[in-house]
Amino acid sequence: MTTQSAVPDPRLVERLAQPTEEELASLDAWWRANNYLTVGQIYLMANPLLRETLTDDDIKPRLLGHWGTSPGLSFIYAHASRLIQATGQEMIYLAGPGHGGPALVAASYLEGTYTERFPKITQDTDGIRRLFRQFSAPGGIPSHVSVTTPGSIHEGGELGYVLVHAFGTVMDNPDLVTLAVVGDGEAETGPLEGSWKGISFLDPEHDGAVLPVLHLNGAKIAGPTVLARKDPAEVRSIFQGHGYEVIEVEGSDLPGMHNRFAAALAEAWSKIKAIQASARGGDWDGSRPHWPMIILRSPKGWTGPDVVDGVQMLGTWRAHQVPLSGVKDNPEHLALLEGWLRSYRPEELFDENGVPTELVQRANPSGDLRMTASPHANGGLLTVDLDLPDFRDYAIDVPSPATVRAESTRKLGELMRDIYRDNGDRFRLFCPDETNSNRLGAVFEVSNRAFAEKVFPEDVALSHDGRVMEVLSEHNCHGWLEGYTLTGRHGWFATYEAFAMVSASQTIQHSKWLQEADNLPWRADVPSLNILLTSTAWRNDHNGFSHQGPGLIQNVITTRGNIGRVYLPPDANTLLSVADHCMRSRSYVNLVVIDKQPQLQWLTMDEAIEHCTRGAGVWSWAGTDDGTADPDIVLACAGDVVTMETIAAADILREHLPHFRTRVVNVVDLMTLPRRKDHPHGMDETLFRELFTDHVDVVFAFHGYPGAVHQLVHGRPDADRFRARGFIEEGTTTTPFDMVVRNRVSRYHLVMDALNNARRTPPGASDLKAFCEAKLAEHDAYVVEHLQDMPEVRDWMLPDRSAGA
Ligand SMILES: Cc1ncc(C[n+]2csc(CCOP(=O)(O)OP(=O)(O)O)c2C)c(N)n1
C-alpha cells in the first residue's frame, strides 16, 4: 500500500517550531500534571491532591518505581501530542526505558484512555487516589509501561528492543510515525546497538517512519552512560555514520527547552514528510534517505529534588528510582516531597473535583489520535486475516510411508510465496540471511529482499521495495516481527535452531506480553508470533557443535500458561498443516521445528491433517501392536530425525522379533503431552492411555533435550516409565547418522532400549542386542573409513506398501 504524502506547508512547520504563549502554557501544564501524577504514583496512597498537609499516613509503605527517566519521557510525549494536534499525524510512542511506567500511565490518565479502559480509575479526586494506590502495588499494576498501559506495545522491562519494535511497527504502515525513546543506558545493550540499522531496510515509499529520540539523561542505575560522557561530536558522528540526520537539544531551562524541543520536533517531522513525499511522489533517486533523529540532553530526574541529605540528586544516577527514601519515617524527606509535589502547582492542573483542568486537557489530541488510544498500539483491532491459499495444494504425494524423500521446508516456501503474493501489505518473513539456505527461497519469485542501501547489478532479489526481511541479526528479525504482529500484521521468523537462542529472551518476553494481554479484554488478539527453527541440531552437516542446540523448545515449554505451542512436524505434509494452523491462530508463540535437508516423508495430506488435528497418534503401520492387547513396549517420537530413527528401530524389531509387540506413537504437537490442567492442548487422560497405556514402558526419542519429555509428562500415569532420549550435547561436524549415534538416539540404541525396558524379554533379545552393538561398531569404523554413513542407513526406506507397488 502506498499513500500520498505531501511536503508540509512551510508555514505549518514554522508554526510548529514556534509555540505560542498559549500553547506553551497548556503544554507545560500537561507536563507538570504528568510529573505530578508520576510522583504521586510512586509515593502517595491518600491525600492525592494535597488538599491537606502531607502526613506519613499518606505515604505508601513500600516506595517502588522509577522517577529519573519519567520527566524526560513525559516532556517528549507532551511535545509529540502537540505535533499530532497540529498535523493530524498518526503516531505511537514507545518508551525504551519502560521503567518510566508512571509517566505513560499518567499520559493515558490525562488523555482519558485510562478511565475508558479501567472505569474504576475515574477522572476525579478519588480516581487519582486509586491511580496512585494501584501503582506498583499488590493487586494493582506493574511499574513498567506494560501490557496494562493503554497505548503501549513495548514494556521496556528488558532493555534493548525499543528500536527493533519501532521498525517492525512501521513496515507496511505508510501513515504511521513511531516515536521511539532510546535510553542512554539502553543504548549500551547489544540489541539496541544493532538496531539503528533499521533504516537500511526501510522503504520510504511503502513503510512509515521511526523517529528515534536518544535520551541522554546522563546516567543509568548506578553510574554514567557511555554516550552521555562522550564528546558530542563523536556521538553525532556515530549516528551520522548510521545514516541519520542528527538534531540536538540540550538543557533544562524553561521555557527554553520547550521552544527548542518544539523546533527540533518540527524539523524532524518535516524531514520525514519531505522524504516520504519525495519517495511517494516519484522524484526519488532510490538512495537511502537520511532519516532524522533527535538527541535530547536533559538531566535525569529533571524537575525533581536537587540535593538530598547534602548529596547531589538531580542530574545523577541517584535520581534513577526513588529520590527521597524513607519518607514515612523522615519528616525532612516528607517536607521535601510535599514541596516537590507542590512545585507543579496542582491547583492549576486539577479542579476542585480532581478533574484535569481545561488548560491541561487542551494539550490532548482527540480520539484515536491520542497516542494511548491509537489502534496501532492495539493491533488486533486492525488485524485482517491472511488470504491463505489451500495448503493441501502444496502437498507431497506420499504413496506409502518412508518411500519418498523431499526437502519439507521447500514446500513451506512455496506456500509462503503465494501468501506474499496475495497479502502484499500484511505478511512478511524475517530471517537472518538464510531464506535460501532454509529452502524458503520461493518467496523471491514474488518479493525481493528489503534493502535501502546501495544495490549492485550482481545482487540477487534485492531492492528498496523488497519485503523479505534479511538482516544478520536475530534480535532485529525477532523484534521487527514482534512490532509487526503487535500492530496487527502476520509473519514468520525463520532461523537456524541453535541461533534462536540469541533471541530466546525476546521469545520469552513476548510470551509474557501475550500472557498478560490475555487477561485484558480490551486488548484485541494479535496474530501469533510464528518461529520456524530449521537447520536443526541433527542435520547441521557442514557446521559443528556451535550450530547444534535445541534449547528454545525448553524455553517455550517452560513459559507459563497457554501462550507457547511447540510443533515438531515430521514431514512436509504435516508441516503444511501446522503452518496453516499457526497462521490462522492469534496471540500465541508458535514454535515449529523441522529440518531443511531432504528427509523421508511419512503421511499423505489427509493423514497429516488428521494427525495434526489430534496432535499425537499411533502409527499402526509402523509397529507390530494390533491393538488387541497391551504392547510390550511403546516407541514414541517427536521430531523429524528421531522419528526416522524410531520407525527404523521398529522395523528392525519387526524383522528380528516379529512377535514382539511394539506400538509407535508420533507426537507432532508437543503440548498434547502435559495434562490438560497444565496446558490447554494437553490430551485427556483417556487418549493418553490409549496412546501410551498406563503402565507399559515408553522409549521416547525426542528432538530436543531429553529432560523436556520428563517435564512434559510429569503427573501422567506412572511417568517414571518414560525413557527419554534426545540431544545430549554430543555434537560436531559429522554425518547425520553419526549425530544420532553420538547422542545415543540411533535406531540401534532405541532397539536396545526397547528390549531392556520391555514388559517381557522376548526370545532372541540378546542376539538382537548383540546385533545392534555390532552395527554400532561397524558404523564407527565405516564413517571414519568412508567419511559417510553406511549405505543401509543412508539409503534406508521402508518397502512400498501402496497397492500395486
Ligand atoms: C537488559 C537489561 N539489563 C539490565 C536492566 C536493569 N536496568 C533497569 S533500568 C537500567 C538503567 C537504564 O538506563 P537508561 O536506559 O539510560 O534509562 P534512564 O536513565 O532513562 O532511566 C538498568 C540497567 C534491564 N532492565 N534490562
Side-chain angles (χ1 to χ4, degrees), residues 338-360:
E338 180 159 358
W340 176 13
L341 282 162
R342 290 201 189 278
S343 74
Y344 299 119
R345 305 194 297 280
E347 64 285 359
E348 289 177 17
L349 311 174
F350 303 96
D351 70 15
E352 65 280 8
N353 297 317
V355 180
T357 56
E358 204 271 329
L359 178 69
V360 171

Side-chain angles (χ1 to χ4, degrees), residues 66-70 73 96-100 144 156-161 181-189 191 215-222 225 300 320-321:
H66 301 81
W67 161 247
T69 194
S70 297
L73 292 180
H99 44 280
H144 284 68
E158 183 166 293
L159 297 167
Y161 309 129
V181 182
V182 181
D184 45 355
E186 176 179 30
E188 293 175 12
T189 64
H215 187 200
L216 298 190
N217 62 11
K220 34 193 195 270
I221 297 180
T225 61
K300 191 150 181 165
H320 183 69
Q321 288 180 4

